[in-house]
Every structure is written in C-alpha cells, then in structure tokens.
Amino acid sequence: MFKGPTTIRDHSFEANLFARRAFIAFVFVLILIAVLFINVYQLQVTSFDSYQTRSNDNRIKLVPVPPNRGIIYDRNGVILAENKPVYNLEGISEKIKDLDKSLMALKKLLDITEQQEKNFLNDIKHNRRFKSQILKSRLNEKEVALFSVNQDKFPGFRVEARLARHYPHGDTLTHALGYVAKINKKELLKLDAENKSQNYRATRFIGKLGIEKFYEETLHGTVGSEKVEINNRGRVLRSISFTPPIPGNDLVLTMDISLQKAAQAALKGMRGAITVLDAKDGGILAMYSNPSYDPNLFVHGISSKNYKALLNSDRPLFNRVTQGRYAPASTIKPIISVLGLEEGIIDEKTTIRDQGFFQIPNVKHRWRDHLKWGHGKVDIYKAIEKSCDTFFYDMAYRLGITKISNFMAQFGFGDLSGIDIHEETSAILPSVEWKKERFNESWYPGDTISIGIGQGYWSATPIQIANAVNILANKGINHPPHLVSVAKLNEQLTILNNEEKPPIILKDNNHWDIPLRAMHNTVQKKSGTAYKAFKGHTYDAAGKTGTAQVVNIAQGEEYEKDKVKEKHRDNAMYVGFAPFSSPEIIVTITVENAGGGSSLGAPLARKIMDHYFANKAAEIAGNP
Amino acid sequence: MNPLKHKKTIWDKIHIDLPLLLALIVLLAASLFIVYSAGGQELPIVFRQLKRLGVALLIMVVLAQISPSTLQRFVIPLYTFGIILLIAVLIVGVSSKGAQRWLNIGITRIQPSEIMKLLVPMMVAWYIGKYHLPPKLKHLFIGFLLVMLPTYLIYKQPDLGTSILIASSGIFVLFLAGVSWRLVGSVCAIGAISAWPLWTYGMHAYQKQRVLTFLNPESDPLGSGYHIIQSKIAIGSGGVEGKGWLHGTQSQLEFLPERHTDFIFSVLSEEFGLVGVTLLLAAYLFIIARGLFIAVNAQDAFGKLLAGSLTLTFFVYIFVNIGMVSGLLPVVGVPLPLISYGGTSMVTLLAGFGMIMSVATHKRMLVHT
C-alpha cells in the first residue's frame, strides 16, 4: 500500500533542511522561554514588594476586640452599673449533625419561638458554614443549666456568653446613671463625624442618657485588635498577634446608694424630687425623681408594650431633679433676705406690721399673705421662721426686679447648674429683658411683688435650688453640683469636678449669718414651720419650708379632667442643711401637688437627714 | 552506521533514551511534591498521581517498543477512527463544565481529543513524509486539511486549549518539513487579518471574556479577573527564594484557583521562588533540546517530523500554561506538562515521549528495512 515517491529522494538535502528548521524552531523556543523568564523575573524581583504586600493583605485580617466598659461605683464602692454575661444559644452550621432533629429536640427542651427558629435557619443559610449564629438570645440561668446538662446531645450547639450592661439597682438610679443601648444609625453618623468610629468597630452599646452618655468617652475605652490569618472564605486559621483593648475608666460617684434608696423610699407614691448635696464639695449624695423606671429594659431594646407603659401622665421618663421647673416659693426667702440686708433695705431690727396683705402705694390690688389675718409685727427672723409673705412682698418691691434678678443669677438661677448629665433645663429667672423678649411687654412693679416669695414668672429646677442653698449655707462658697468624683483606670485615679466657682462676697458677713440663723430657728424654735417635723432630731438642722401655688408647672401635660383638682394642689417644698455650725449635707424636697411644705416637705427631709446621720454614726461606731 | 562507533547499550535494546528518561523522572518526582503541597497536603492525591504516573510511564515504554514503521502502517485507520470518535463526542458525548469532551464507553470515559494530540502529528508527518521535502503546495493543502478537521471538531466541543495544541502540532510538522518562508509569512498575515472576524463571530462569550480579562485583569478583581490577579500575587510574592515548601500562603489558604491543576506553576513559583522557576525552565529546555536532537538525528522524514512536532507541541504546553498563569496570555485550560495533577494529559504526554524514544532507538532497524 505504500507508494514511494517517483523521483529519488535527496536524503542529505532533506536532512539539512529539517536540521535548519529544527534549529530555527529551537531559537524560537529559547526566545519564548526568555520571555517567560523575564516576565516571572519582573513579578518576583522587580515588583516583589508590591505583590508581597498584596499577598499579606489577602491573608491577614484585623479583628477588632471591644474594650470592657468602665464600671460605675457609688462613693462607698457599691457597684451601680456593671458588665454581666448574657447567655445566647448559638449553633455552627458545619458542626451540627442533624439540623431538623436537633431543632425539634431543642424546642422540647427550651422555649424557642417560631420566629427565632425561622431567623436562625435564615442566618445559617445566608452565612458561612463556620460562623456561629444565635438561635435564642438571653437565656436565663435555668435554661443555661438545662441546655448544659444535655449539651452532648446537640453537637454544633453551645451557650455563648457575651458581656452586656446591667444595672443591679434597677429604677433607683435611672435619672442619674441613664443607660446604654444598641448604637443607632444617627449615633454612628455622629461617631463618623467625630472620627471615633474606628474606636467603636467592635462596640455594640453606647450611652444614651445620664452619666452613661455624659461620660461615654471616659467609660468606653480603646478598641483592641487581633491579627489573624484567614483563608479565601474568611475562616480564621490562626492568631498572629493580639493587641489587647484598653478598658474604659471606672467611675466613682459622689452618690451614696443607701441614701438614694432612702430618698426613693421617702417619695414612694408621690411625684417629686429629692436632692441631697455634700455641703463640703457640691457632690450629689442622692438625686431621685419619682416615678422612675428600670433602665435594664432599654439595654436590649425595649418592647413597644413596655415603652407605652412608660408614657403615662406621671411621666416616669422625665427627670424632675434637673428638668422639672417649679416655682421655688418660700425656699428662696433666706436668699432674698441676704440681698435685702446687703442692699440696706432692711437690717436685723427692721420690722413691718403685717395685716394680711401688701399693697403698692396708690394701687388697689392686694397681695395676700398665706395667713389671712396677718402675722402682726414681723422682723426678718420671724418672717423666715413663719414664712411671712408680706415682709417679702415689701422687700421685693423696694429692691426692684433688676437687683433681685442679678443677685439670684449669682446663685445659679436661670442657668444650667453644670451637673454632669445632659438632661437639664435652665428654667426661668425673670428680668426686665427676659419679659421683653418673652412677651414683648414691659416689666410692671406688680410683677416684682410675687418674685419676693419665689412665685410669679420665676421657675427653678430642684438641682438649681439645691445649688443655691449650698452656696447660702457655705456663705458664698460655690461648689457646683456633680455626680462623678473620680475616674479610675487600673490604679490610676483622675479627680473630676473638683473645681470651685468664684465665691459670692458680701460687704458684711453678718448678712449671711442673719438669714441662716433664721433658718436654724425655723427648725429649732417651737414657732418655726419645720419644728414639728424635726422634733427630737439630734444633728442640729436648719431649713426652710415652701408651699408653691401651682400656676404653671405646665411641662406639656395634657389637660385631664379627673386630675384637674389634684394637679391644682400646691407643691410641697423644703430646703435644709445640717449640722448648722458646719453644714455637711444639703437636702431639698419637691413634691408635686402634695400640699404644704411644712406638713409634707419637712418630714421627708427629716427622713433623709435621719438616715444620713444614723449611717454616719454607725460608720463611726464601726471604725473606732 | 558503524557498529564499532555506536555500541548498543542495554537502554538501546529496550528502546529507552536515557537522558530523556532521567529528565522526565526528575520532573515527575518534583511534581509529586508540588502536587502534595498544592492539593491541600493530602497523601491520597499524591498516591493517585503516583498510580497515574506508573500507568503513563508503562504506556511510554510500550510505545517506545513500537517501531516508527509499524506506526506508519496503522496511521490511517487510527486517524480515521479518531475523527469518528470526535464526531461521536459532538453527538453523544458527556458534558462536564459546559463542554462536551468525554465519550462514555461503558467501562470508562475516554477523551478522544487527547488521543488526537498524538494521531494528528503522526498522520500529517506520515502524509508529508511520503513525498520529497519541502512539500508541494498540493500536499501542504491536504496536510493542512488533515490538521484543521480535528482542530475544528475539538474547538466545537468547545475546548480551545486542546484545539490550539492540536493545530500547533500539525502546523509544526508543516513548518519543519520546510514550508517556504513566503508561505509562512502570508499565513501569518492572513491569521492577523482574520483575527477580527474570529473575535466577532468565532468565539464563545466566555472565551471573549477570558481575552478581555487577560487584557485588563484588575478591571474585575472579584469576578473573572480574580484568578489571574491571585495567580500573579502568588508568583510575585514568592520572590527569589520562595516562601518554602508547604508555606505558600496564596496556595495553602486557597486564594489560588485550580491550584493543583492549571495553576500549579503559581504554587511552585510561590513556594520555590525564582530559583525554582529557573530550575523548572532549565529542565524543560533540556527536554526540548534532547527531543529536537533526536528529531534531527532520526533517519527518515516521518521520524524527524513526528519527533520534532511532538517536542515543539510539548513546548506549546509550557508556553501557554506559564504565559497564562503569569498574565502574558489569556486563560486557556492547558495544564503545566509533567507537573499538573491529572491523568489524561500525563498519559498523552508520556505516550508522545514514548514515540520520540522509539524514533531515537529504532534507527538501525529502519536502515535495514
């Protein structure tokens, strides 16, 4: 079948031809191999650094590690806010043997809702097989125990503990501490704008209110990171290095939880506020606004049912201590007396004849005293002890609004107290300018009269009143009120809020002493308005009662027909301090629509002071 | 030939070319280590590769025993049978990964296009070798048809990589046979001109995508450019000395795709660096040089053309694969010869070397025929 060529083949010619072609081919091969080599050389030598970096970027990931939030203590080291483990039941898809069977059995063991199961299955489906997904969050201790005993029956499932904020004293401290909750979108944008989002990469909670919000930066700490090696699916293979997070500062408050609890107990069933200041440094020993609410409800997101319950007419969310605007009423009579003495309008011996009302010359209107028939002959002592209104109508009339307004501003009225929480209002210290701006009306002499007894346009927050009384009791020394005294990181202490404001200096120190003595008499003398409430006390208290007519405590309440009567009742007020010679504590009481300060305010103050001095005595006895 | 000058060694008697065998053994041994590293460090994969190597080496030795003249006797029926199988693949073939390449013959599945890698150069070498060299235009034309028919059938499967290899093997025969340079020049010109219609009408969407990605891989770093980018990172980050065996992060952490098959060169480059690449290229160059040496010293045109074509096709494997994984060429599914994991191409390649060895060791017998 092989048909040879017709002519004779020239074998050497053909061999030469082939050899030439093979040689040319080999040269081509050499050139192309050189091309390959040069290309690889460029990758491995010329661009080595860049590719090495890209290779490391591929495999090395920084996993942020959240810092532990600082713990909040009261002045005696009692924990007020802590980080407690929360237990979640989680499952890792690739380790679960029989998903359907496991879920069936788990549902029998624990209370797992349809929704939880649905979410879990969805999470498993849409995430990497090695990622842990939550089936049921926040297990209680019984559930944890129940699962742990049966754990071997559920391969791939486990209970994971995560730290979350917890407030062991519940509603006792809410208006001071505030709370943390999950970071929302708005807060994320704000963190971005402040260049803080890097530090919050691993953080889930942020301070929303109170101290938790005000001291967010101090409490939060600095994020740490773990350098890990990952594969192309993001699975962590090993840890390369670890930079531990720096925990947030612990905070030590000026508050005393035991006194705070006493304040809560005292206000039970009432709407109102109690503030106790440390007279030595302005530290807040207690501040309680009733009604309150449990901050723990908010940490993991409050249910709408629970939230609706908080929106009742008693307004538990409202911080009365710093946001409640009340007429200060007679509690400011001692301070206005200081001004009267300083201005020479009155002296220790000045008396008036009180026939039950005050009249501006040539004006018909009568400003009535609370005692219809009048107090008779009244000097400054009697005027404060018995809370004579007419005396102060007269003095205010003669002082004029501008002097009163300027002087009261020095005591912090009409301005934020500077307390270290953001929820505060400056309330209203009226002045000619204020009225012009607010109502576009001139100030009438008649407007000044009721200012003399802390009524009229004047409103103040309980913390402002407490601050003013503190300045008075300390004879002009001004320690602004505050909640936090020390920030603590490891053993390093930072003292906070120890600055003093410039003191109020009078021409004559006696101008402090006379009204203070009168306050002493109010409690000590049988004729004083607080005598009855403080009968038998042992710590030499001084004080002043107040009964505020409710004209406008309107902070947006709705008009509720069946409550009208109650809401028109007077607010009971009391301010006091003890011991008289060297004040330690300042106590202020405000009870809404309760009635008289003498019968309702003073007894509450007594309870607080009794508690404070009993504790102190016990402490001294305990540490001889 | 003077029997005194060339004493027959034991290797000649068993028709094995020792230098070629040694070079092959070195590369194959190296491949076992690289496959172990690239295959997730699992011994079963290495054992499977070892088993295939054994089979492939056996086939090589068996083919080396068959003299070129015997091969020529069976080339027409074999080629015809191969073409029939290729047509059968297109009609009743088994699909895998979007391409129809396999034929199910009951016991096992075969890939006819692999067999054609040997049969096409054989067929063309026989046909062209029948006549005087350089070939006449008529013979060239028929030879060209013998190449293009299987090339087209394989391209239709579609399997661009294999069709390129088969076309090259045939074209190499024609080139080595001494086609005039004028013709070579005009064919190149026509090829360049026909690139446009080929791009517009002749290519599948995925093939076009590969070419586009090749031109600018960074344009789609998470999509189709991902493979090339990761491969270049692997090669580049290997540096001069490499990251060490089993320590290539790109490969061990699975950022590299197809790391034990088509992209095994990247694994080698990452773990052994430029040193490893240089040694590999040197080994390849030695094999090619030896193959061409055998071809030049072959005693008849068929042997020369067959050995030369198979050697040069071996080089096309190398160039296309390394060019692809290092970003010089578009992604075309061609394994790295003798190193990549996988049985089929290994068998075909070693069978080819068996034929080259046969050409090298059957000279005297040819003379006496």
Side-chain angles (χ1 to χ4, degrees):
Chain A
M1 67 174 274
F2 186 78
K3 259 191 180 170
T6 45
T7 48
I8 293 164
R9 292 182 81 145
D10 184 346
H11 282 286
S12 75
F13 167 77
E14 287 189 10
N16 273 336
L17 174 67
F18 181 85
R20 275 202 309 277
R21 284 296 165 103
F23 179 73
I24 290 164
F26 188 66
V27 169
F28 265 108
V29 166
L30 279 178
I31 291 170
L32 289 177
I33 283 193
V35 167
L36 289 179
F37 181 82
I38 289 165
N39 183 45
V40 171
Y41 182 89
Q42 271 176 350
L43 291 174
Q44 294 194 310
V45 179
T46 317
S47 315
F48 171 66
D49 289 339
S50 135
Y51 283 113
Q52 191 183 38
T53 310
R54 290 176 71 176
S55 161
N56 283 338
D57 286 350
N58 259 348
R59 73 185 177 98
I60 292 169
K61 204 175 120 193
L62 280 177
V63 180
V65 182
N68 283 344
R69 195 172 177 86
I71 294 167
I72 302 178
Y73 299 96
D74 90 335
R75 65 191 299 126
N76 300 313
V78 179
I79 290 177
L80 307 182
E82 62 189 332
N83 306 314
K84 253 180 91 175
V86 169
Y87 300 97
N88 297 333
L89 178 57
E90 305 188 357
I92 300 173
S93 162
E94 67 175 4
K95 289 184 183 162
I96 297 171
K97 281 232 176 81
D98 187 334
L99 185 59
D100 293 336
K101 232 172 93 188
S102 295
L103 281 176
M104 282 285 273
L106 277 170
K107 275 197 282 192
K108 268 182 209 156
L109 195 66
L110 305 167
D111 178 32
I112 292 164
T113 64
E114 292 264 311
Q115 190 60 43
Q116 283 168 329
E117 187 185 353
K118 231 172 91 184
N119 291 346
F120 177 71
L121 290 173
N122 199 43
D123 287 344
I124 277 193
K125 213 166 135 190
H126 292 104
N127 285 284
R128 298 286 191 187
R129 289 169 46 78
F130 51 82
K131 285 257 162 83
S132 195
Q133 304 298 341
I134 295 180
L135 172 59
K136 182 176 168 66
S137 58
R138 282 190 289 152
L139 270 66
N140 61 34
E141 275 168 36
K142 196 183 149 203
E143 289 170 321
V144 171
L146 212 54
F147 175 80
S148 303
V149 171
N150 295 292
Q151 185 151 24
D152 53 322
K153 290 178 202 155
F154 304 105
F157 287 94
R158 61 195 176 150
V159 168
E160 280 286 294
R162 277 179 156 175
L163 289 181
R165 204 61 156 175
H166 177 69
Y167 303 99
H169 299 284
D171 63 358
T172 306
L173 291 147
T174 313
H175 291 297
L177 287 182
Y179 53 82
V180 299
K182 295 226 169 77
I183 302 175
N184 64 31
K185 215 171 180 180
K186 215 173 115 195
E187 285 152 347
L188 274 180
L189 289 174
K190 191 162 171 266
L191 289 170
D192 265 342
E194 290 167 357
N195 268 332
K196 287 183 192 155
S197 47
Q198 271 302 96
N199 199 26
Y200 278 78
R201 271 175 306 163
T203 307
R204 294 185 304 141
F205 296 103
I206 193 166
K208 302 269 180 177
L209 207 69
I211 290 170
E212 292 275 30
K213 181 174 188 176
F214 194 92
Y215 290 98
E216 173 61 31
E217 211 174 323
T218 316
L219 286 164
H220 179 265
T222 308
V223 69
S225 62
E226 190 179 13
K227 215 185 221 184
V228 293
E229 187 172 82
I230 55 162
N231 69 4
N232 69 329
R233 290 179 294 278
R235 182 200 291 270
V236 173
L237 300 174
R238 69 190 175 97
S239 176
I240 297 169
S241 68
F242 182 63
T243 313
I246 302 168
N249 280 269
D250 293 341
L251 294 181
V252 180
L253 303 193
T254 57
M255 294 183 86
D256 178 346
I257 181 67
S258 132
L259 200 63
Q260 178 78 2
K261 281 188 169 156
Q264 181 177 25
L267 273 177
K268 201 170 176 211
M270 308 173 207
R271 278 175 285 109
I274 291 181
T275 315
V276 185
L277 295 187
D278 184 335
K280 303 280 183 234
D281 62 7
I284 295 169
L285 287 164
M287 58 173 267
Y288 185 75
S289 169
N290 208 46
S292 184
Y293 59 97
D294 184 0
N296 293 306
L297 291 175
F298 283 85
V299 175
H300 297 282
I302 190 165
S303 69
S304 61
K305 191 182 126 214
N306 282 340
Y307 189 67
K308 267 186 198 144
L310 293 178
L311 298 176
N312 60 53
S313 59
D314 285 343
R315 310 189 65 206
L317 296 174
F318 179 61
N319 188 350
R320 290 173 160 80
V321 175
T322 53
Q323 294 176 310
R325 293 192 239 166
Y326 303 95
S330 307
T331 58
I332 53 81
K333 282 176 180 169
I335 299 176
I336 216 163
S337 306
V338 175
L339 181 61
L341 291 163
E342 183 72 2
E343 290 294 327
I345 303 281
I346 55 161
D347 61 26
E348 202 174 353
K349 296 192 180 81
T350 309
T351 55
I352 62 153
R353 271 196 54 81
D354 172 21
Q355 33 188 336
F357 60 88
F358 170 79
Q359 273 180 309
I360 298 178
N362 307 320
V363 174
K364 251 191 177 171
H365 186 83
R366 285 177 174 187
W367 278 270
R368 299 209 159 271
D369 197 286
H370 63 89
L371 212 59
K372 214 174 170 184
W373 48 88
H375 290 89
K377 192 176 161 195
V378 177
D379 67 353
I380 175 140
Y381 292 107
K382 192 174 171 188
I384 289 176
E385 268 168 55
K386 303 200 68 96
S387 204
C388 167
D389 291 337
T390 314
F391 188 88
F392 290 98
Y393 290 145
D394 180 61
M395 190 160 70
Y397 176 69
R398 289 196 279 155
L399 280 166
I401 183 62
T402 303
K403 275 182 182 158
I404 297 174
S405 191
N406 289 346
F407 192 63
M408 288 302 165
Q410 293 186 63
F411 283 81
F413 287 104
D415 196 4
L416 300 176
S417 72
I419 183 176
D420 39 357
I421 56 176
H422 290 299
E423 303 78 39
E424 197 189 0
T425 169
S426 54
I428 294 158
L429 174 61
S431 66
V432 177
E433 297 75 32
W434 171 82
K435 195 179 175 194
K436 188 84 196 156
E437 191 173 309
R438 177 74 174 76
F439 297 110
N440 198 22
E441 267 180 43
S442 321
W443 185 273
Y444 303 113
D447 293 336
T448 313
I449 310 306
S450 41
I451 298 298
I453 62 159
Q455 297 267 172
Y457 292 122
W458 195 352
S459 71
T461 61
I463 193 72
Q464 283 177 334
I465 297 171
N467 182 36
V469 174
N470 192 24
I471 295 170
L472 172 71
N474 281 296
K475 300 176 186 177
I477 297 169
N478 188 345
H479 290 288
H482 56 270
L483 287 160
V484 176
S485 60
V486 174
K488 204 166 68 171
L489 183 59
N490 302 321
E491 291 312 306
Q492 198 183 328
L493 304 182
T494 315
I495 308 289
L496 298 171
N497 301 317
N498 58 342
E499 53 295 295
E500 232 177 86
K501 279 192 184 165
I504 299 169
I505 295 164
L506 300 183
K507 292 177 211 151
D508 184 347
N509 230 27
N510 213 25
H511 297 160
W512 290 118
D513 293 333
I514 294 164
L516 288 173
R517 269 206 297 277
M519 285 175 81
H520 192 219
N521 292 346
T522 306
V523 179
Q524 306 298 336
K525 280 174 74 173
K526 220 168 183 169
S527 52
T529 51
Y531 174 79
K532 223 174 100 190
F534 276 89
K535 200 173 165 189
H537 77 284
T538 54
Y539 37 81
D540 201 22
K544 178 77 195 81
T545 58
T547 305
Q549 292 163 351
V550 178
V551 191
N552 54 350
I553 65 152
Q555 291 119 15
E557 282 109 325
E558 280 171 18
Y559 183 82
E560 278 170 77
K561 213 175 173 189
D562 50 346
K563 279 209 169 175
V564 161
K565 254 189 167 168
E566 199 215 320
K567 294 247 159 173
H568 274 185
R569 270 184 231 155
D570 293 343
N571 290 342
M573 318 277 291
Y574 185 82
V575 302
F577 59 92
F580 175 67
S581 54
S582 167
E584 283 177 30
I585 58 166
I586 311 289
V587 176
T588 65
I589 310 283
T590 309
V591 186
E592 291 174 11
N593 315 117
S598 166
S599 55
L600 276 142
L604 294 190
R606 164 111 200 233
K607 277 189 195 167
I608 302 299
M609 289 193 174
D610 279 358
H611 184 95
Y612 173 84
F613 287 103
N615 258 7
K616 196 182 157 193
E619 232 169 77
I620 290 165
N623 309 300
Chain B
M1 280 282 151
N2 189 343
L4 291 174
K5 252 186 191 172
H6 188 100
K7 198 172 176 245
K8 258 196 170 186
T9 64
I10 174 86
W11 298 105
D12 286 329
K13 280 179 196 154
I14 57 165
H15 302 291
I16 294 299
D17 185 64
L18 192 58
L20 199 50
L21 180 72
L22 288 178
L24 291 175
I25 297 282
V26 166
L27 278 178
L28 291 172
S31 104
L32 290 177
F33 286 91
I34 302 168
V35 163
Y36 175 69
S37 174
Q41 307 186 14
E42 282 178 42
L43 275 175
I45 288 186
V46 178
F47 288 138
R48 268 208 297 281
Q49 179 77 343
L50 198 60
K51 221 166 74 188
R52 285 170 180 165
L53 267 181
V55 173
L57 283 169
L58 193 70
I59 289 173
M60 179 184 86
V61 172
V62 168
L63 277 176
Q65 312 309 313
I66 301 170
S67 72
S69 54
T70 316
L71 283 179
Q72 291 187 69
R73 226 166 288 146
F74 292 102
V75 71
I76 294 176
L78 283 172
Y79 178 85
T80 315
F81 185 60
I83 294 290
I84 291 166
L85 285 182
L86 281 182
I87 294 166
V89 162
L90 286 180
I91 299 165
V92 294
V94 184
S95 295
S96 152
K97 289 184 188 171
Q100 218 162 355
R101 296 171 191 178
W102 301 87
L103 207 55
N104 207 332
I105 54 161
I107 327 153
T108 180
R109 298 201 302 181
I110 57 162
Q111 205 178 338
S113 56
E114 281 298 325
I115 305 167
M116 288 315 275
K117 284 179 184 168
L118 300 173
L119 292 179
V120 167
M122 268 169 71
M123 181 69 195
V124 184
W126 168 77
Y127 178 75
I128 297 293
K130 273 200 311 189
Y131 307 101
H132 291 270
L133 300 185
K136 293 200 179 82
L137 203 59
K138 183 183 93 182
H139 301 140
L140 269 180
F141 182 72
I142 291 169
F144 186 70
L145 283 184
L146 290 172
V147 180
M148 289 324 285
L149 177 63
T151 300
Y152 176 76
L153 290 173
I154 293 166
Y155 170 75
K156 268 312 230 194
Q157 288 179 356
D159 185 349
L160 188 62
T162 308
S163 65
I164 286 174
L165 288 169
I166 287 186
S168 343
S169 68
I171 302 287
F172 285 142
V173 174
L174 300 182
F175 172 78
L176 291 169
V179 173
S180 75
W181 286 107
R182 220 178 334 151
L183 197 61
V184 173
S186 16
V187 167
C188 286
I190 290 165
I193 292 163
S194 60
W196 170 247
L198 180 73
W199 171 258
T200 316
Y201 305 109
M203 285 174 99
H204 283 266
Y206 84 94
Q207 290 166 336
K208 280 189 196 176
Q209 187 57 47
R210 278 179 180 180
V211 175
L212 286 175
T213 303
F214 150 71
L215 292 173
N216 185 13
E218 311 274 337
S219 67
D220 187 13
L222 293 176
S224 38
Y226 178 83
H227 291 186
I228 285 304
I229 292 172
Q230 294 305 331
S231 172
K232 284 171 84 172
I233 292 174
I235 297 170
S237 63
V240 175
E241 290 169 17
K243 296 175 183 170
W245 184 51
L246 304 181
H247 286 94
T249 55
Q250 284 288 103
S251 46
Q252 303 304 329
L253 303 178
E254 299 171 46
F255 292 101
L256 264 181
E258 311 277 342
R259 58 205 166 117
H260 60 302
T261 55
D262 286 0
F263 283 82
I264 202 160
F265 178 79
S266 318
V267 178
L268 179 144
S269 308
E270 186 185 24
E271 298 191 344
F272 299 99
L274 192 63
V275 174
V277 172
T278 309
L279 289 175
L280 178 77
L281 290 179
Y284 280 149
L285 200 57
F286 175 82
I287 290 171
I288 293 161
R290 183 72 194 168
L292 289 176
F293 176 81
I294 288 170
V296 170
N297 287 298
Q299 282 185 327
D300 71 341
F302 173 73
K304 282 176 194 288
L305 293 174
L306 180 62
S309 161
L310 288 172
T311 305
L312 291 179
T313 310
F314 173 70
F315 173 68
V316 173
Y317 268 97
I318 297 165
F319 187 74
V320 171
N321 179 274
I322 298 182
M324 158 183 96
V325 301
S326 62
L328 280 179
L329 297 174
V331 174
V332 175
V334 171
L336 185 66
L338 306 177
I339 305 289
S340 280
Y341 175 82
T344 327
S345 74
M346 189 72 82
V347 169
T348 319
L349 276 160
L350 288 184
F353 282 110
M355 284 155 82
I356 293 174
M357 288 183 183
S358 155
V359 170
T361 54
H362 282 89
K363 291 174 192 169
R364 240 147 273 109
M365 294 174 73
L366 260 173
V367 171
H368 296 304
T369 335

